[in-house]
């Protein structure tokens, strides 16, 4: 059961050029929890998320997924558990057609082709992109790419969903679809977003990053409404003043 | 530089064509790969000064393209892209061998020029055929076919990656060019900018390739791409392979042009 749990302790990450992108955030995610990760541009959100599935490895500090410390030996298992939707969908879509791309993850998990394809079709249906199955990924609009990238992760059936700005570039209907979809999930979810409306609808709890530090961790509405603190983190309060 | 955007468009066009559904597309990719290999071997087996004897072989790429609905414009563009390389390769030939071997009206043609013409024809035929093959098979299936035919995994996979990364690099280039264009108002790239631009592009493409790789890994990719739908090597495939092989054999050993009435005199010698 405990594999739904994520634990991050004293995580530090510096990029090769010396930028200290993460400066010691420490927190835990509990089973089935939906958590928003907010912070200004460059605050370190994407960098943090990339540690959760081992795309980036902790220079110091620790990330644990369930019982497993995220390290080279556990990567395969960690990635079965943690499904990550990257910020830029162009980084994800790789195969010649959308269907093949979405089936790519399940194939790697060892599903035989027909079953992988069936999973892919279900996932595409979930995100409202069933009609795109035969298209080439690079012929899609940004919003369509985003949906397909989400489907690509859903098709793998992860326990924990890590989403990096999932609503950017979606039209109002697509966004509503996404909110509904994410609400329906029972996965543990962590969502990096600038879309504070989405954060307040989906996530009872919010983490705030400011220049690589975790500066707030608590109930979403209270944090987002605290005008003075939000502004001190280069953010704007939500809901906006009438 | 705009030709780069055009080249990328062609690359995409090839990908789109590969998903058409024609009898040639439905053939087992291995039959097409093997027939093409036989074609190339036949091309290579002719004497260095053969020209007219090579011409009937053009039937193979023409048939592939026509049956596979590959537009001839695209074929021509892709083939011309390779022309400079062939010209450079063959440029010295006329200087090496100047002994006249053939009288074309008032013109004395040296052995070197014949060899040059022969190389040109072979080069163009090989380019057209390779393009047509990719267009009616698709890069993914082509690599899978190589794989199933026993080519080293690393080779076929690298080929596939090269193809996908070419897209990525092309797209980065396209975006960067477009962004620059919007602020340049038609001013061409200055030599000094050129270096910065190229360096920037290289880094961008590299970093994107890294991110793509990270994203693949995140979905459980462990170095081997899942194989695509596998077709059986049926009667159609055998017919295609054996039929064309027989044709190549005839071209090579029965001097078909002589039978058909040569287009150019004295191809032999
Ligand atoms: N590959 C890299 N090399 C060097 N520095 C980097 C690299 N990637 C990110 N950074 C830096 O690390 C910091 C955190 O970047 P990150 O992408 O995590 O921010 P973010 O919170 O996701 O921002 P955004 O909201 O704009 O997506 C930034 O200062 C950024 O400039
Ligand atoms: Mg980010």
């Amino acid at each position: 059961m405990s594999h739904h749990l994520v634990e991050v302790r004293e995580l530090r990450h510096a990029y090769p050029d010396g930028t200290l992108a993460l400066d010691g955030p420490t927190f835990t995610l509990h089973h089935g929890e939906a958590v928003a990760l907010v912070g200004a541009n460059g605050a370190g959100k994407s960098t943090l998320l990339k540690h959760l599935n081992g795309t980036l490895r902790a220079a110091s500090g620790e990330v644990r997924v369930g019982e497993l410390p995220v390290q080279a030996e556990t990567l395969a298992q960690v990635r079965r558990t943690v499904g990550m939707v990257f910020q830029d969908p162009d980084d994800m879509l790789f195969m010649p057609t959308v269907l093949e791309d979405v089936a790519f993850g399940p194939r790697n998990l060892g599903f035989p082709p027909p079953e992988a394809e069936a999973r892919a079709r279900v996932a595409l249906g979930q995100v409202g992109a069933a009609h795109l199955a035969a298209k080439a990924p690079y012929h899609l609009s940004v919003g369509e790419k985003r949906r397909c990238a989400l489907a690509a992760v859903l098709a793998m059936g992860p326990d924990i969903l890590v989403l990096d700005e999932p609503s950017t570039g979606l039209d109002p209907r697509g966004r509503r679809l996404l909110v509904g979809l994410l609400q329906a999930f029972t996965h543990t979810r962590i969502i990096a977003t600038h879309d504070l409306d989405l954060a307040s609808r989906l996530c009872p709890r919010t983490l705030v990053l400011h220049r690589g530090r975790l500066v707030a961790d608590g109930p979403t509405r209270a944090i987002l409404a605290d005008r003075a603190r939000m502004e001190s983190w280069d953010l704007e309060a939500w809901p906006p003043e009438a | 530089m705009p030709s780069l955007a055009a080249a990328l468009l062609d690359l995409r066009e090839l990908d789109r064509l590969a998903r058409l559904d024609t009898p040639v597309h439905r053939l087992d990719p291995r039959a097409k790969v093997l027939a093409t290999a036989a074609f190339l071997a036949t091309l290579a087996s002719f004497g260095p000064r053969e020209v007219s004897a090579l011409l009937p072989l053009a039937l193979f790429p023409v048939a592939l393209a026509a049956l596979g609905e590959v537009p001839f414009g695209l074929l021509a563009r892709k083939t011309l892209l390779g022309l400079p390389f062939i010209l450079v390769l063959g440029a010295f030939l006329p200087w090496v061998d100047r002994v006249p071997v053939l009288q074309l009206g008032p013109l004395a043609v040296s052995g070197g020029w014949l060899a040059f013409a022969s190389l040109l024809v072979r080069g163009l035929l090989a380019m057209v055929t390779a393009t047509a093959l990719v267009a009616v098979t698709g890069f993914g299936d082509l690599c899978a076919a190589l794989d199933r035919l026993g080519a080293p995994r690393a080779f076929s996979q690298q080929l596939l990656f090269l193809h996908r990364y070419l897209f990525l690099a092309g797209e980065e280039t396209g975006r960067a060019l477009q962004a620059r264009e919007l602020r340049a108002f038609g001013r061409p790239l200055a030599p000094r900018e050129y270096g910065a631009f190229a360096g920037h592009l290289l880094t961008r493409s590299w970093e994107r390739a890294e991110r793509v790789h990270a994203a693949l890994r995140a979905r459980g990719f462990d170095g081997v791409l899942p194989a695509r739908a596998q077709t059986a090597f049926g009667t159609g495939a055998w017919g295609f392979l054996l039929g064309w092989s027989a044709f190549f054999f005839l071209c090579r050993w029965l001097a078909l042009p002589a039978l058909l009435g040569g287009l150019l005199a004295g191809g032999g010698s």
Side-chain angles (χ1 to χ4, degrees):
Chain A
M1 272 306 281
S2 56
H3 59 283
H4 287 255
L5 200 82
V6 177
E7 196 179 338
V8 173
R9 234 185 27 233
E10 292 290 322
L11 188 59
R12 263 182 198 80
H13 183 87
Y15 281 103
D17 66 355
T19 313
L20 183 63
L22 287 180
D23 192 5
T26 299
F27 61 91
T28 346
L29 303 182
H30 307 285
H31 306 270
E33 205 177 18
V35 176
L37 179 62
V38 305
N41 287 133
K45 302 180 295 295
S46 298
T47 308
L48 174 58
L49 294 188
K50 283 180 187 159
H51 281 83
L52 300 184
N53 75 342
T55 294
L56 293 176
R57 226 65 62 70
S60 84
E62 194 187 22
V63 180
R64 294 180 76 89
V65 172
E67 305 284 279
L68 302 169
V70 177
Q71 57 196 33
E73 304 77 51
T74 60
L75 274 190
Q77 265 169 292
V78 165
R79 286 171 178 174
R80 250 165 234 261
T81 314
V82 181
M84 163 132 175
V85 182
F86 284 67
Q87 181 164 1
D88 184 349
D90 276 321
D91 291 345
M92 291 188 61
L93 305 170
F94 191 76
M95 300 296 277
T97 66
V98 167
L99 185 67
E100 280 174 85
D101 203 285
V102 177
F104 175 81
R107 292 293 317 267
N108 286 328
L109 290 181
F111 288 101
E115 203 169 322
E117 194 168 299
R119 282 180 152 246
R121 287 193 189 279
V122 170
L124 281 170
Q126 276 183 300
V127 300
H131 59 292
L132 301 174
K135 283 200 94 169
Y138 45 75
H139 282 154
L140 304 178
S141 77
V142 176
E144 290 170 338
K145 282 182 190 171
R146 234 169 236 300
R147 281 178 227 180
C148 294
L150 177 57
V153 168
L154 291 179
M156 299 179 68
D159 293 325
I160 301 166
L161 269 180
V162 175
L163 305 165
D164 199 346
E165 297 192 21
S167 65
T168 316
L170 293 186
D171 60 22
R173 192 178 152 276
R175 190 173 162 283
R176 198 149 25 82
L177 202 78
L178 178 79
V179 171
L181 187 65
L182 293 179
Q183 257 163 351
F185 284 157
T186 51
H187 305 78
T188 305
R189 283 147 287 170
I190 179 162
I191 307 171
T193 187
H194 296 293
D195 183 343
L196 299 182
D197 177 57
L198 177 129
S200 62
R201 277 167 203 270
L202 281 180
C203 310
R205 177 178 163 205
T206 289
L207 307 177
V208 182
L209 273 182
H210 180 56
R211 299 189 185 149
R213 289 169 186 275
L214 185 64
V215 289
D217 178 353
T220 301
R221 279 168 204 280
I223 291 180
L224 297 190
D226 189 335
R227 211 154 297 277
R229 288 179 87 200
M230 285 293 275
E231 270 162 27
S232 75
W233 304 320
D234 307 318
L235 293 168
E236 284 176 3
W238 183 268
E241 239 160 346
Chain B
M1 287 295 258
S3 62
L4 224 159
L8 179 70
L9 273 183
D10 279 352
L11 216 59
R12 291 189 162 185
E13 179 68 0
L14 277 176
D15 247 29
R16 187 188 66 78
L17 289 170
R19 284 197 299 282
L20 294 180
D21 190 28
T22 72
V24 203
H25 282 80
R26 283 194 290 273
L27 277 176
D28 188 302
R30 287 172 295 175
K32 290 178 266 186
V33 169
L34 288 175
T36 304
F39 173 80
L40 294 176
T42 311
L43 265 189
S45 74
F46 277 96
R49 290 179 191 171
E50 300 278 6
V51 178
S52 59
L54 297 172
L55 298 178
L57 285 171
L59 188 63
F60 179 59
V62 167
L64 265 190
L67 295 175
E69 295 172 20
V70 186
F72 280 85
L74 176 81
L75 277 184
R77 274 199 307 281
K78 285 277 142 213
T79 305
L80 287 182
L81 216 64
L83 194 59
F85 298 102
I86 306 172
L87 289 179
V88 167
L89 266 181
F92 70 95
L93 286 172
W95 309 106
V96 179
D97 178 1
R98 302 187 189 205
V99 184
V101 290
L102 176 70
Q103 200 68 34
L104 267 186
L107 227 64
V109 179
S110 72
W113 277 110
L114 264 189
F116 178 68
S118 177
L119 186 79
L120 193 65
V121 171
R122 281 175 226 235
L124 292 180
L125 281 178
M127 290 288 298
V128 177
T129 308
T131 311
L133 176 70
V134 174
V136 300
T137 312
F139 225 85
D141 284 341
L142 207 60
C143 295
L146 286 174
D147 195 47
R148 291 178 79 192
L149 285 169
R153 246 294 144 75
F155 176 72
S156 54
Q157 301 257 306
Q158 282 311 312
L159 214 57
L160 192 60
F161 272 107
L162 185 71
H163 174 246
R164 305 315 293 178
Y165 284 142
L166 223 57
F167 266 92
L168 294 178
E171 261 157 28
E172 292 293 342
T173 311
R175 274 196 286 266
L177 273 178
Q178 202 169 37
R180 189 199 159 274
E181 197 62 34
L182 289 173
R183 291 186 297 152
F185 301 103
R187 191 173 53 76
L189 215 57
R192 205 169 46 79
E193 290 173 341
Y194 197 86
F197 194 75
H200 176 68
L201 268 181
L202 202 68
T203 339
R204 259 173 68 160
S205 306
W206 180 262
E207 287 187 343
R208 177 169 290 275
E210 268 188 349
R211 289 201 302 275
V212 166
H213 194 74
L216 288 177
R217 289 252 168 224
R219 287 199 279 160
F221 175 67
D222 60 358
V224 180
L225 289 171
R228 311 189 67 207
Q230 306 214 331
T231 40
F233 208 95
T235 33
W238 279 115
F240 181 86
L241 178 58
L242 296 178
W244 280 110
S245 301
F247 172 72
F248 300 150
F249 186 83
L250 287 179
C251 287
R252 179 67 184 90
W253 300 110
L254 293 187
L256 213 55
L259 295 177
L260 300 174
L263 292 164
L264 205 80
S269 82

